[in-house]
Amino acid sequence: GTEALRGINLAAEQINAAGGVRDNKLNLIVRDNAGSPVTTSEAVFDLIREKQVLAIVGPITSTEAAAAGAVAQQAKTPLILPVATSPYVTEIGEYVCRICFTDPLQSKALALFSRKHLRVDRVAVIYERGSSYSEKLAEFYTSQFKDMGGAVVFSEGFALGASGLSDLVRRAVKTNPDLLFAPVYYPEAAAIINELSAIKSPMTVLGGDGWESPELFRLTGLNIRSGPVYISSHFSLELQQEKGSQFVGPFRQVYGE
């Protein structure tokens, strides 16, 4: 969420410098949901009831987005989700909006990339149990990959914080897949990469947008070079979009990333 907040702050500064919205300056009120659906609901309720905000941007993850959406919809306050990819969160109601791709679209792109670009036949899947994002992306990808003629030779979930993740990685590798798909967030992605490095496996690894964080490189160090790593992303400099280029320069200047 830190990178998203930095981007939001910079965008608000640029908009205000250009005159604001309909001659009104944007005033950001930030709340940390601590990655908790309960805290998210409480924060959204406070922003709407006490701060009387006109709209809310966030949260980032789909599970917390669903909690925020329920409160925002009831209060008829627009909720704008930057990267919550679960297709179900916007079904809460008309006041819950999304500006990114969904997991069905993401999974289709990942499966197509696996089969057509990487020419993979056998895939192992590791996902986080209890995470709507992880479970559904694994489900969608598995279905798409099989429809394209591929075989899923291993598919198993783990509980968040479970000490058995290392063993899960080792068992997945033993099934001799061409690729390991792990639709998880970057802390668990780092644990998977570090374990693959520890067992000296050059396994090709594929992740979803939940991998996208500078922290992934800090947590893995040189281990991330153990084998090829691919992820899906909401943005790429290779797109060479005018507005994107205009934003990236100032972002790097301010935050050094």
Side-chain angles (χ1 to χ4, degrees), residues 33-86:
N33 68 356
S36 164
V38 174
T39 304
T40 298
S41 297
E42 293 172 347
V44 172
F45 184 83
D46 176 71
L47 288 170
I48 295 172
R49 185 72 177 270
E50 301 300 327
K51 301 301 181 181
Q52 297 184 339
V53 297
L54 296 178
I56 297 173
V57 178
I60 300 301
T61 57
S62 295
T63 300
E64 285 68 43
V71 179
Q73 178 64 31
Q74 186 174 18
K76 296 183 178 181
T77 299
L79 181 74
I80 304 167
L81 304 172
V83 291
T85 52
S86 169

Tab-separated table of all heavy atoms in Angstrom, residues 33-86:
chain	number	residue	atom	x	y	z
A	33	ASN	N	-5.444	0.618	7.171
A	33	ASN	CA	-6.363	-0.464	7.548
A	33	ASN	C	-5.645	-1.665	8.139
A	33	ASN	O	-6.286	-2.661	8.518
A	33	ASN	CB	-7.215	-0.898	6.352
A	33	ASN	CG	-6.408	-1.585	5.269
A	33	ASN	OD1	-5.181	-1.698	5.346
A	33	ASN	ND2	-7.089	-2.053	4.236
A	34	ALA	N	-4.307	-1.623	8.177
A	34	ALA	CA	-3.493	-2.684	8.794
A	34	ALA	C	-3.763	-4.054	8.182
A	34	ALA	O	-3.541	-5.076	8.829
A	34	ALA	CB	-3.727	-2.727	10.302
A	35	GLY	N	-4.268	-4.070	6.945
A	35	GLY	CA	-4.538	-5.341	6.288
A	35	GLY	C	-5.637	-6.146	6.944
A	35	GLY	O	-5.694	-7.372	6.815
A	36	SER	N	-6.560	-5.478	7.625
A	36	SER	CA	-7.634	-6.153	8.357
A	36	SER	C	-8.998	-5.723	7.840
A	36	SER	O	-9.284	-4.527	7.755
A	36	SER	CB	-7.540	-5.820	9.855
A	36	SER	OG	-8.736	-6.129	10.536
A	37	PRO	N	-9.881	-6.669	7.517
A	37	PRO	CA	-11.230	-6.307	7.074
A	37	PRO	C	-12.009	-5.534	8.135
A	37	PRO	O	-12.756	-4.605	7.809
A	37	PRO	CB	-11.880	-7.671	6.788
A	37	PRO	CG	-10.736	-8.574	6.473
A	37	PRO	CD	-9.629	-8.129	7.381
A	38	VAL	N	-11.829	-5.906	9.406
A	38	VAL	CA	-12.539	-5.222	10.491
A	38	VAL	C	-12.060	-3.772	10.600
A	38	VAL	O	-12.870	-2.839	10.673
A	38	VAL	CB	-12.333	-5.957	11.830
A	38	VAL	CG1	-12.947	-5.147	12.972
A	38	VAL	CG2	-12.943	-7.344	11.781
A	39	THR	N	-10.741	-3.593	10.609
A	39	THR	CA	-10.186	-2.237	10.676
A	39	THR	C	-10.597	-1.422	9.460
A	39	THR	O	-10.851	-0.216	9.557
A	39	THR	CB	-8.648	-2.294	10.768
A	39	THR	OG1	-8.277	-3.093	11.897
A	39	THR	CG2	-8.055	-0.905	10.923
A	40	THR	N	-10.667	-2.080	8.317
A	40	THR	CA	-11.093	-1.404	7.085
A	40	THR	C	-12.515	-0.884	7.224
A	40	THR	O	-12.790	0.278	6.900
A	40	THR	CB	-11.020	-2.375	5.889
A	40	THR	OG1	-9.670	-2.789	5.693
A	40	THR	CG2	-11.527	-1.700	4.620
A	41	SER	N	-13.422	-1.712	7.683
A	41	SER	CA	-14.825	-1.302	7.864
A	41	SER	C	-14.934	-0.116	8.815
A	41	SER	O	-15.668	0.850	8.560
A	41	SER	CB	-15.655	-2.473	8.401
A	41	SER	OG	-15.686	-3.540	7.485
A	42	GLU	N	-14.180	-0.193	9.905
A	42	GLU	CA	-14.210	0.891	10.896
A	42	GLU	C	-13.663	2.188	10.313
A	42	GLU	O	-14.209	3.272	10.563
A	42	GLU	CB	-13.404	0.476	12.134
A	42	GLU	CG	-14.029	-0.682	12.910
A	42	GLU	CD	-13.122	-1.197	14.014
A	42	GLU	OE1	-11.931	-0.824	14.020
A	42	GLU	OE2	-13.610	-1.965	14.868
A	43	ALA	N	-12.584	2.083	9.539
A	43	ALA	CA	-11.963	3.267	8.937
A	43	ALA	C	-12.899	3.914	7.928
A	43	ALA	O	-13.045	5.150	7.897
A	43	ALA	CB	-10.644	2.891	8.280
A	44	VAL	N	-13.542	3.111	7.095
A	44	VAL	CA	-14.465	3.642	6.082
A	44	VAL	C	-15.667	4.302	6.758
A	44	VAL	O	-16.108	5.389	6.351
A	44	VAL	CB	-14.927	2.523	5.122
A	44	VAL	CG1	-16.031	3.020	4.201
A	44	VAL	CG2	-13.752	2.014	4.304
A	45	PHE	N	-16.174	3.674	7.798
A	45	PHE	CA	-17.309	4.243	8.535
A	45	PHE	C	-16.933	5.601	9.116
A	45	PHE	O	-17.707	6.563	9.049
A	45	PHE	CB	-17.740	3.296	9.648
A	45	PHE	CG	-18.955	3.754	10.407
A	45	PHE	CD1	-20.227	3.518	9.919
A	45	PHE	CD2	-18.818	4.450	11.611
A	45	PHE	CE1	-21.354	3.952	10.617
A	45	PHE	CE2	-19.926	4.887	12.311
A	45	PHE	CZ	-21.197	4.641	11.814
A	46	ASP	N	-15.719	5.684	9.691
A	46	ASP	CA	-15.255	6.944	10.284
A	46	ASP	C	-15.077	8.028	9.220
A	46	ASP	O	-15.455	9.187	9.432
A	46	ASP	CB	-13.928	6.711	11.012
A	46	ASP	CG	-13.332	7.999	11.559
A	46	ASP	OD1	-13.899	8.543	12.529
A	46	ASP	OD2	-12.324	8.471	11.005
A	47	LEU	N	-14.499	7.658	8.081
A	47	LEU	CA	-14.275	8.632	7.015
A	47	LEU	C	-15.594	9.203	6.499
A	47	LEU	O	-15.696	10.386	6.187
A	47	LEU	CB	-13.497	7.984	5.870
A	47	LEU	CG	-12.022	7.685	6.137
A	47	LEU	CD1	-11.442	6.822	5.027
A	47	LEU	CD2	-11.230	8.984	6.276
A	48	ILE	N	-16.595	8.348	6.407
A	48	ILE	CA	-17.891	8.780	5.880
A	48	ILE	C	-18.696	9.544	6.932
A	48	ILE	O	-19.228	10.629	6.671
A	48	ILE	CB	-18.694	7.565	5.375
A	48	ILE	CG1	-17.982	6.921	4.185
A	48	ILE	CG2	-20.107	7.993	4.984
A	48	ILE	CD1	-18.598	5.611	3.739
A	49	ARG	N	-18.762	8.977	8.135
A	49	ARG	CA	-19.617	9.549	9.192
A	49	ARG	C	-18.987	10.783	9.842
A	49	ARG	O	-19.658	11.812	10.024
A	49	ARG	CB	-19.881	8.475	10.240
A	49	ARG	CG	-20.855	8.869	11.348
A	49	ARG	CD	-22.272	8.947	10.841
A	49	ARG	NE	-23.202	9.251	11.918
A	49	ARG	CZ	-23.810	8.316	12.661
A	49	ARG	NH1	-23.577	7.038	12.421
A	49	ARG	NH2	-24.653	8.660	13.606
A	50	GLU	N	-17.719	10.692	10.210
A	50	GLU	CA	-17.085	11.771	10.958
A	50	GLU	C	-16.404	12.801	10.055
A	50	GLU	O	-16.497	13.999	10.281
A	50	GLU	CB	-16.060	11.184	11.936
A	50	GLU	CG	-16.652	10.193	12.936
A	50	GLU	CD	-17.732	10.808	13.808
A	50	GLU	OE1	-17.633	12.020	14.115
A	50	GLU	OE2	-18.678	10.090	14.188
A	51	LYS	N	-15.708	12.321	9.020
A	51	LYS	CA	-14.970	13.239	8.149
A	51	LYS	C	-15.806	13.718	6.964
A	51	LYS	O	-15.441	14.675	6.294
A	51	LYS	CB	-13.698	12.558	7.640
A	51	LYS	CG	-12.759	12.099	8.744
A	51	LYS	CD	-12.305	13.259	9.614
A	51	LYS	CE	-11.348	12.789	10.700
A	51	LYS	NZ	-10.913	13.915	11.563
A	52	GLN	N	-16.914	13.032	6.709
A	52	GLN	CA	-17.841	13.403	5.635
A	52	GLN	C	-17.126	13.561	4.286
A	52	GLN	O	-17.305	14.557	3.564
A	52	GLN	CB	-18.585	14.690	6.005
A	52	GLN	CG	-19.452	14.530	7.251
A	52	GLN	CD	-20.260	15.761	7.575
A	52	GLN	OE1	-19.937	16.866	7.139
A	52	GLN	NE2	-21.319	15.593	8.338
A	53	VAL	N	-16.328	12.564	3.947
A	53	VAL	CA	-15.601	12.595	2.673
A	53	VAL	C	-16.565	12.418	1.512
A	53	VAL	O	-17.639	11.827	1.650
A	53	VAL	CB	-14.518	11.490	2.635
A	53	VAL	CG1	-13.481	11.718	3.721
A	53	VAL	CG2	-15.147	10.101	2.776
A	54	LEU	N	-16.152	12.931	0.356
A	54	LEU	CA	-16.987	12.818	-0.850
A	54	LEU	C	-16.785	11.488	-1.554
A	54	LEU	O	-17.680	10.992	-2.235
A	54	LEU	CB	-16.659	13.957	-1.820
A	54	LEU	CG	-16.960	15.372	-1.317
A	54	LEU	CD1	-16.534	16.395	-2.349
A	54	LEU	CD2	-18.444	15.514	-0.998
A	55	ALA	N	-15.587	10.897	-1.409
A	55	ALA	CA	-15.273	9.624	-2.049
A	55	ALA	C	-14.067	9.009	-1.339
A	55	ALA	O	-13.335	9.692	-0.619
A	55	ALA	CB	-14.971	9.810	-3.534
A	56	ILE	N	-13.871	7.714	-1.562
A	56	ILE	CA	-12.757	6.998	-0.937
A	56	ILE	C	-11.991	6.242	-2.014
A	56	ILE	O	-12.584	5.592	-2.878
A	56	ILE	CB	-13.266	6.004	0.131
A	56	ILE	CG1	-13.963	6.769	1.269
A	56	ILE	CG2	-12.115	5.163	0.686
A	56	ILE	CD1	-14.631	5.861	2.280
A	57	VAL	N	-10.665	6.327	-1.969
A	57	VAL	CA	-9.792	5.568	-2.866
A	57	VAL	C	-9.143	4.453	-2.055
A	57	VAL	O	-8.506	4.715	-1.041
A	57	VAL	CB	-8.708	6.456	-3.491
A	57	VAL	CG1	-7.792	5.624	-4.390
A	57	VAL	CG2	-9.347	7.589	-4.281
A	58	GLY	N	-9.297	3.208	-2.509
A	58	GLY	CA	-8.750	2.075	-1.776
A	58	GLY	C	-9.858	1.356	-1.044
A	58	GLY	O	-11.031	1.758	-1.129
A	59	PRO	N	-9.504	0.268	-0.363
A	59	PRO	CA	-8.162	-0.259	-0.107
A	59	PRO	C	-7.571	-1.006	-1.313
A	59	PRO	O	-8.185	-1.055	-2.371
A	59	PRO	CB	-8.369	-1.191	1.075
A	59	PRO	CG	-9.778	-1.655	0.930
A	59	PRO	CD	-10.534	-0.496	0.359
A	60	ILE	N	-6.400	-1.602	-1.062
A	60	ILE	CA	-5.648	-2.225	-2.144
A	60	ILE	C	-6.099	-3.658	-2.424
A	60	ILE	O	-6.370	-4.019	-3.573
A	60	ILE	CB	-4.136	-2.203	-1.828
A	60	ILE	CG1	-3.655	-0.748	-1.664
A	60	ILE	CG2	-3.350	-2.916	-2.917
A	60	ILE	CD1	-3.875	0.111	-2.883
A	61	THR	N	-6.168	-4.486	-1.400
A	61	THR	CA	-6.448	-5.909	-1.600
A	61	THR	C	-7.947	-6.202	-1.655
A	61	THR	O	-8.763	-5.467	-1.088
A	61	THR	CB	-5.796	-6.752	-0.491
A	61	THR	OG1	-6.275	-6.312	0.788
A	61	THR	CG2	-4.286	-6.610	-0.528
A	62	SER	N	-8.293	-7.303	-2.313
A	62	SER	CA	-9.699	-7.620	-2.581
A	62	SER	C	-10.502	-7.936	-1.324
A	62	SER	O	-11.667	-7.547	-1.211
A	62	SER	CB	-9.780	-8.802	-3.554
A	62	SER	OG	-9.249	-8.450	-4.811
A	63	THR	N	-9.902	-8.643	-0.372
A	63	THR	CA	-10.625	-9.003	0.846
A	63	THR	C	-11.040	-7.753	1.617
A	63	THR	O	-12.193	-7.630	2.068
A	63	THR	CB	-9.759	-9.902	1.742
A	63	THR	OG1	-9.421	-11.090	1.026
A	63	THR	CG2	-10.505	-10.297	3.019
A	64	GLU	N	-10.102	-6.822	1.766
A	64	GLU	CA	-10.408	-5.582	2.464
A	64	GLU	C	-11.322	-4.685	1.616
A	64	GLU	O	-12.135	-3.937	2.155
A	64	GLU	CB	-9.121	-4.837	2.822
A	64	GLU	CG	-8.343	-5.437	3.981
A	64	GLU	CD	-7.747	-6.796	3.643
A	64	GLU	OE1	-7.215	-6.939	2.523
A	64	GLU	OE2	-7.821	-7.709	4.488
A	65	ALA	N	-11.187	-4.785	0.299
A	65	ALA	CA	-12.049	-4.002	-0.591
A	65	ALA	C	-13.509	-4.402	-0.425
A	65	ALA	O	-14.407	-3.551	-0.468
A	65	ALA	CB	-11.619	-4.191	-2.041
A	66	ALA	N	-13.748	-5.686	-0.221
A	66	ALA	CA	-15.118	-6.161	-0.016
A	66	ALA	C	-15.700	-5.591	1.276
A	66	ALA	O	-16.876	-5.202	1.325
A	66	ALA	CB	-15.133	-7.685	0.020
A	67	ALA	N	-14.870	-5.533	2.325
A	67	ALA	CA	-15.318	-4.975	3.598
A	67	ALA	C	-15.623	-3.487	3.453
A	67	ALA	O	-16.639	-2.987	3.952
A	67	ALA	CB	-14.248	-5.196	4.669
A	68	ALA	N	-14.753	-2.772	2.741
A	68	ALA	CA	-14.969	-1.344	2.517
A	68	ALA	C	-16.192	-1.094	1.655
A	68	ALA	O	-16.968	-0.169	1.902
A	68	ALA	CB	-13.729	-0.737	1.857
A	69	GLY	N	-16.367	-1.951	0.649
A	69	GLY	CA	-17.482	-1.785	-0.275
A	69	GLY	C	-18.832	-1.899	0.390
A	69	GLY	O	-19.772	-1.165	0.051
A	70	ALA	N	-18.946	-2.805	1.345
A	70	ALA	CA	-20.219	-3.002	2.038
A	70	ALA	C	-20.635	-1.742	2.784
A	70	ALA	O	-21.804	-1.338	2.763
A	70	ALA	CB	-20.103	-4.175	3.001
A	71	VAL	N	-19.678	-1.080	3.438
A	71	VAL	CA	-19.973	0.135	4.192
A	71	VAL	C	-20.248	1.303	3.246
A	71	VAL	O	-21.202	2.062	3.425
A	71	VAL	CB	-18.792	0.482	5.128
A	71	VAL	CG1	-19.088	1.775	5.899
A	71	VAL	CG2	-18.524	-0.654	6.098
A	72	ALA	N	-19.407	1.441	2.210
A	72	ALA	CA	-19.555	2.551	1.269
A	72	ALA	C	-20.877	2.466	0.506
A	72	ALA	O	-21.541	3.488	0.284
A	72	ALA	CB	-18.385	2.560	0.291
A	73	GLN	N	-21.246	1.269	0.102
A	73	GLN	CA	-22.490	1.098	-0.642
A	73	GLN	C	-23.693	1.488	0.202
A	73	GLN	O	-24.603	2.172	-0.272
A	73	GLN	CB	-22.631	-0.355	-1.111
A	73	GLN	CG	-23.909	-0.660	-1.865
A	73	GLN	CD	-24.034	0.090	-3.177
A	73	GLN	OE1	-23.034	0.390	-3.822
A	73	GLN	NE2	-25.263	0.393	-3.578
A	74	GLN	N	-23.685	1.081	1.449
A	74	GLN	CA	-24.805	1.411	2.333
A	74	GLN	C	-24.909	2.917	2.552
A	74	GLN	O	-26.015	3.462	2.658
A	74	GLN	CB	-24.644	0.701	3.674
A	74	GLN	CG	-25.836	0.860	4.606
A	74	GLN	CD	-25.708	0.029	5.862
A	74	GLN	OE1	-24.629	-0.420	6.222
A	74	GLN	NE2	-26.832	-0.188	6.549
A	75	ALA	N	-23.755	3.573	2.599
A	75	ALA	CA	-23.737	5.018	2.823
A	75	ALA	C	-23.855	5.813	1.525
A	75	ALA	O	-23.876	7.049	1.549
A	75	ALA	CB	-22.454	5.408	3.550
A	76	LYS	N	-23.884	5.113	0.383
A	76	LYS	CA	-23.962	5.741	-0.928
A	76	LYS	C	-22.797	6.711	-1.158
A	76	LYS	O	-22.972	7.828	-1.663
A	76	LYS	CB	-25.304	6.452	-1.124
A	76	LYS	CG	-26.498	5.500	-1.110
A	76	LYS	CD	-27.801	6.217	-1.387
A	76	LYS	CE	-28.965	5.233	-1.412
A	76	LYS	NZ	-30.256	5.896	-1.692
A	77	THR	N	-21.597	6.239	-0.778
A	77	THR	CA	-20.375	7.015	-0.968
A	77	THR	C	-19.495	6.289	-1.969
A	77	THR	O	-19.187	5.109	-1.782
A	77	THR	CB	-19.611	7.166	0.358
A	77	THR	OG1	-20.435	7.864	1.302
A	77	THR	CG2	-18.307	7.943	0.151
A	78	PRO	N	-19.071	6.930	-3.052
A	78	PRO	CA	-18.251	6.254	-4.069
A	78	PRO	C	-16.950	5.698	-3.488
A	78	PRO	O	-16.236	6.390	-2.765
A	78	PRO	CB	-17.967	7.367	-5.083
A	78	PRO	CG	-19.098	8.330	-4.901
A	78	PRO	CD	-19.410	8.310	-3.441
A	79	LEU	N	-16.682	4.453	-3.819
A	79	LEU	CA	-15.443	3.782	-3.420
A	79	LEU	C	-14.704	3.401	-4.697
A	79	LEU	O	-15.228	2.668	-5.534
A	79	LEU	CB	-15.743	2.528	-2.599
A	79	LEU	CG	-14.531	1.747	-2.087
A	79	LEU	CD1	-13.877	2.488	-0.919
A	79	LEU	CD2	-14.931	0.340	-1.644
A	80	ILE	N	-13.476	3.908	-4.865
A	80	ILE	CA	-12.692	3.670	-6.073
A	80	ILE	C	-11.551	2.730	-5.729
A	80	ILE	O	-10.691	3.056	-4.903
A	80	ILE	CB	-12.153	4.991	-6.644
A	80	ILE	CG1	-13.310	5.962	-6.904
A	80	ILE	CG2	-11.365	4.746	-7.919
A	80	ILE	CD1	-12.879	7.380	-7.175
A	81	LEU	N	-11.524	1.563	-6.356
A	81	LEU	CA	-10.535	0.537	-6.051
A	81	LEU	C	-9.422	0.552	-7.096
A	81	LEU	O	-9.668	0.257	-8.259
A	81	LEU	CB	-11.203	-0.836	-6.006
A	81	LEU	CG	-12.371	-0.945	-5.013
A	81	LEU	CD1	-13.086	-2.285	-5.182
A	81	LEU	CD2	-11.882	-0.777	-3.589
A	82	PRO	N	-8.185	0.870	-6.692
A	82	PRO	CA	-7.088	0.969	-7.662
A	82	PRO	C	-6.648	-0.384	-8.231
A	82	PRO	O	-6.444	-0.513	-9.432
A	82	PRO	CB	-5.953	1.610	-6.857
A	82	PRO	CG	-6.601	2.195	-5.656
A	82	PRO	CD	-7.767	1.335	-5.360
A	83	VAL	N	-6.473	-1.393	-7.369
A	83	VAL	CA	-5.913	-2.668	-7.835
A	83	VAL	C	-6.581	-3.896	-7.210
A	83	VAL	O	-6.005	-4.977	-7.198
A	83	VAL	CB	-4.389	-2.736	-7.590
A	83	VAL	CG1	-3.654	-1.761	-8.488
A	83	VAL	CG2	-4.043	-2.465	-6.130
A	84	ALA	N	-7.784	-3.762	-6.702
A	84	ALA	CA	-8.514	-4.917	-6.156
A	84	ALA	C	-9.108	-5.691	-7.326
A	84	ALA	O	-10.057	-5.246	-7.965
A	84	ALA	CB	-9.603	-4.461	-5.200
A	85	THR	N	-8.545	-6.855	-7.626
A	85	THR	CA	-8.851	-7.552	-8.879
A	85	THR	C	-9.987	-8.583	-8.790
A	85	THR	O	-10.394	-9.123	-9.810
A	85	THR	CB	-7.584	-8.263	-9.391
A	85	THR	OG1	-7.034	-9.072	-8.341
A	85	THR	CG2	-6.546	-7.249	-9.847
A	86	SER	N	-10.474	-8.872	-7.590
A	86	SER	CA	-11.562	-9.846	-7.480
A	86	SER	C	-12.790	-9.342	-8.230
A	86	SER	O	-13.212	-8.193	-8.040
A	86	SER	CB	-11.936	-10.079	-6.013
A	86	SER	OG	-13.138	-10.828	-5.917
